[in-house]
Amino acid sequence: MKGRKWVISKRFEGAPKDGDLTLVEFELPDLKDGEVLLEAVCLTVDPYMRPYSRSLNIGDKMIGQQVARVVSSKSKDYSVGDHVLSYDGWTSHAITNAKMRKVQFPDNLPLSLALGVLGMTGMTAYNGLIDICNPKAGETVIVSGAAGAVGSVVGQIAKNLGCRVIGFAGSDAKLKYLKELGFDEAINYKKITDLDATIKSVAPKGVDVYFDNVGGEFSTTVIENMNNFGRVSACGAISQYNTVEQVKVPSIMGTVVSKRLKIQGFIVADFGQEKNEAAIKQNIEWIKQGKLKYREHVTKGFENMYKAFQELFTGANTGKAIVNV
């Protein structure tokens, strides 16, 4: 039996380009005792894959998660037809003996949510905001990349906690989406000429919490407008992932010291299984209550994985980017 996978054929330089990844066929071996054969159902593409791919060698399979179906099993733990969350990367089929989480949601929620609001995305948003920033009712929260997979969830959680939420995104269509989600202010950063003045106008009392998905000069300006003892959750730096030359921005350390700011970077594994499972449980409850909405930007076809990945860096997607096989 043959499978297909996307492999690194050239190191990324700048934005991901055609030819940097190649779709190839490979032969699957026979199953051994304890193993299962997986067939991908849906896969995720995420901005973090761009910097993390630096650790891969030419010819290596691209990293990532997928929801897969067990199509053959010699394992006592998994039966044919089970759906699991797999870390086998950009592949149509995989053979594994790894321990995997079975994907089973209440109320017929889509399996793909295991890659989004009920998976790594939801854990990142919930714990990145609550565990690191501890937002309090009445505080002002700014979210950059607010219409993306993580940012759109962060903003809703902050609203559920009673905060005033300001979201920045890159198109008027995305602003409309943010207002539908309940953001108090939604601003198209591409249309403003003075970010500092804009922040002062929409947050006249200052910023208490900043959830950063973009990095760069944008984040420097937000941080300069934070209140004493403000908290910053540094989740991503998508504005810098494709830069070839080192980006130079004004130093913020004087502000960090004088305002006693807390700035913390993180990855979702930092929070541990207990906190991450609690995040998913709470997100399910908010979905049931209509307090947490989600949107998926769906690309059809495994052969279009790389196209979906490239679109992450052009602003084409709103919400969670998913590829259905």
Side-chain angles (χ1 to χ4, degrees):
M1 180 179 178
K2 292 184 182 294
R4 295 183 295 166
K5 61 182 179 180
W6 285 92
V7 300
I8 305 290
S9 52
K10 185 180 178 182
R11 296 283 183 193
F12 293 125
E13 292 185 12
K17 302 176 185 64
D18 292 346
D20 289 345
L21 297 187
T22 303
L23 181 60
V24 299
E25 284 192 342
F26 67 99
E27 195 73 34
L28 286 153
D30 294 333
L31 279 185
K32 299 176 182 177
D33 289 341
E35 293 182 333
V36 295
L37 171 61
L38 303 178
E39 182 177 67
V41 175
C42 54
L43 304 95
T44 177
V45 290
D46 300 282
Y48 82 85
M49 296 173 178
R50 169 67 173 81
Y52 274 61
S53 68
R54 296 189 187 112
S55 65
L56 301 177
N57 296 316
I58 300 299
D60 283 350
K61 178 176 55 181
M62 189 61 169
I63 57 173
Q65 289 183 312
Q66 60 173 263
V67 173
R69 181 187 303 108
V70 176
V71 293
S72 184
S73 177
K74 287 190 176 182
S75 168
K76 61 181 176 58
D77 298 319
Y78 303 98
S79 302
V80 172
D82 284 347
H83 288 95
V84 296
L85 184 64
S86 166
Y87 291 82
D88 280 296
W90 291 20
T91 185
S92 65
H93 295 80
I95 290 176
T96 183
N97 61 2
K99 184 177 181 180
M100 298 170 289
R101 166 187 155 199
K102 292 184 181 179
V103 180
Q104 297 171 316
F105 295 135
D107 302 326
N108 296 316
L109 290 171
L111 295 173
S112 57
L113 296 190
L115 303 173
V117 68
L118 301 183
M120 185 185 295
T121 297
M123 299 171 190
T124 298
Y126 184 95
N127 285 318
L129 177 67
I130 293 176
D131 193 78
I132 291 177
C133 295
N134 189 27
K136 301 175 180 63
E139 290 191 318
T140 296
V141 177
I142 284 185
V143 185
S144 59
V150 173
S152 59
V153 177
V154 168
Q156 293 179 84
I157 293 174
K159 286 300 297 179
N160 289 341
L161 298 177
C163 299
R164 181 169 180 268
V165 182
I166 302 165
F168 285 84
S171 73
D172 290 344
K174 291 181 178 181
L175 302 191
K176 180 180 178 183
Y177 175 56
L178 295 182
K179 296 298 286 186
E180 291 171 358
L181 296 182
F183 281 64
D184 296 286
E185 299 281 352
I187 301 165
N188 186 340
Y189 71 88
K190 294 180 180 178
K191 290 188 174 182
I192 58 179
T193 56
D194 188 334
L195 177 60
D196 182 72
T198 299
I199 293 173
K200 285 179 167 59
S201 69
V202 295
K205 296 181 180 180
V207 180
D208 301 294
V209 172
Y210 174 41
F211 197 98
D212 182 15
N213 289 303
V214 303
E217 188 174 355
F218 182 97
S219 293
T220 298
T221 305
V222 176
I223 290 169
E224 291 290 350
N225 281 277
M226 297 196 73
N227 291 324
N228 290 342
F229 303 104
R231 291 85 72 200
V232 179
S233 183
C235 178
I238 194 170
S239 72
Q240 299 169 241
Y241 289 160
N242 293 327
T243 55
V244 177
E245 298 181 359
Q246 186 173 1
V247 177
K248 295 181 179 181
V249 296
S251 173
I252 60 170
M253 295 312 296
T255 300
V256 172
V257 173
S258 64
K259 293 187 176 183
R260 290 85 85 200
L261 303 180
K262 172 187 175 182
I263 301 178
Q264 183 174 333
F266 69 96
I267 60 172
V268 72
D270 294 342
F271 304 114
Q273 183 176 352
E274 184 176 346
K275 286 184 177 180
N276 282 330
E277 288 181 351
I280 298 308
K281 183 178 180 181
Q282 179 60 71
N283 286 352
I284 288 174
E285 288 304 309
W286 276 331
I287 289 173
K288 288 180 179 179
Q289 297 166 10
K291 294 181 178 180
L292 183 57
K293 301 173 184 178
Y294 57 87
R295 180 181 292 186
E296 294 181 332
H297 182 90
V298 177
T299 300
K300 295 182 179 179
F302 184 73
E303 67 278 6
N304 294 316
M305 281 284 299
Y306 189 49
K307 174 177 177 288
F309 179 66
Q310 290 175 297
E311 288 180 346
L312 293 173
F313 303 98
T314 64
N317 65 299
T318 299
K320 182 71 193 77
I322 295 290
V323 177
N324 286 339
V325 177

